[in-house]
Amino acid sequence: MATVAIVIAALLGVWRLGGSRLTVPDMGNAGNVGAPGAVAPLAGRAPDISNLSPRERFDRLYQRVMTAAETGDSITVAQFIPMALGSYSMLDSVNADAQYHAGMLNIIVGEYPAANALADTIEINAPGHLFGYVVRGEAADRANRPDALTTAYRDFLKHFDAQIKSGRIEYQEHRPALDDFRTRARASLGQ
């Protein structure tokens, strides 16, 4: 009787493990091609980042998630975004660039309040910094808050020229994203 109970318990355990499924963000089901309900294999093996500094680790993970999000690879996004956000939380110091990266990661997973909190921090620590307006605007756009998006666009355009002239390195590194946001802001505001 005891042996039968152990065998049944073991079979139930195996059945439960086999029934688990990975939940991934909805990105048009990209990266999840196959039979309905099938679990795709995890995205390729991650490179060894154990010898990198905490900031280098965060930057690498951020880049991996953003590249995956841009290509619609929801499996890689789901696999690496917890690592990227965890890596951000382990930084001993942060600047506007790191806060911008963390804000964009939060937007990808729909954590708009966390993204807005990071935008607030950027604006408090560096008044007029463009990244605060971009994070706030992207969060508003994804959360379908048109008034907040319009405000972010206006504030961004108001500060754009002076901030670009400041020569901040992070503006040079993220110039395509800033130019894209500027184009959308101008189109939205009719400028």
Side-chain angles (χ1 to χ4, degrees), residues 73-178:
D73 182 357
S74 59
I75 296 293
T76 299
V77 169
Q79 182 180 0
F80 286 95
I81 208 158
M83 289 183 259
L85 289 171
S87 182
Y88 173 77
S89 71
M90 291 189 283
L91 295 177
D92 55 358
S93 66
V94 295
N95 58 15
D97 187 57
Q99 291 163 336
Y100 167 74
H101 290 177
M104 297 307 288
L105 291 171
N106 277 293
I107 289 167
I108 287 173
V109 293
E111 292 293 333
Y112 308 124
N116 284 323
L118 287 162
D120 290 344
T121 303
I122 293 169
E123 292 172 11
I124 289 168
N125 292 334
H129 199 293
L130 298 177
F131 286 173
Y133 308 122
V134 172
V135 170
R136 190 174 308 290
E138 295 293 353
D141 190 30
R142 298 272 177 93
N144 196 24
R145 296 180 51 227
D147 292 342
L149 178 58
T150 298
T151 300
Y153 281 158
R154 280 193 184 119
D155 292 342
F156 177 87
L157 291 176
K158 182 171 110 178
H159 292 95
F160 184 83
D161 291 331
Q163 285 293 314
I164 291 299
K165 287 178 186 172
S166 73
R168 293 178 188 263
I169 187 83
E170 63 263 33
Y171 291 161
Q172 295 168 18
E173 292 171 352
H174 294 286
R175 190 59 192 253
L178 294 172

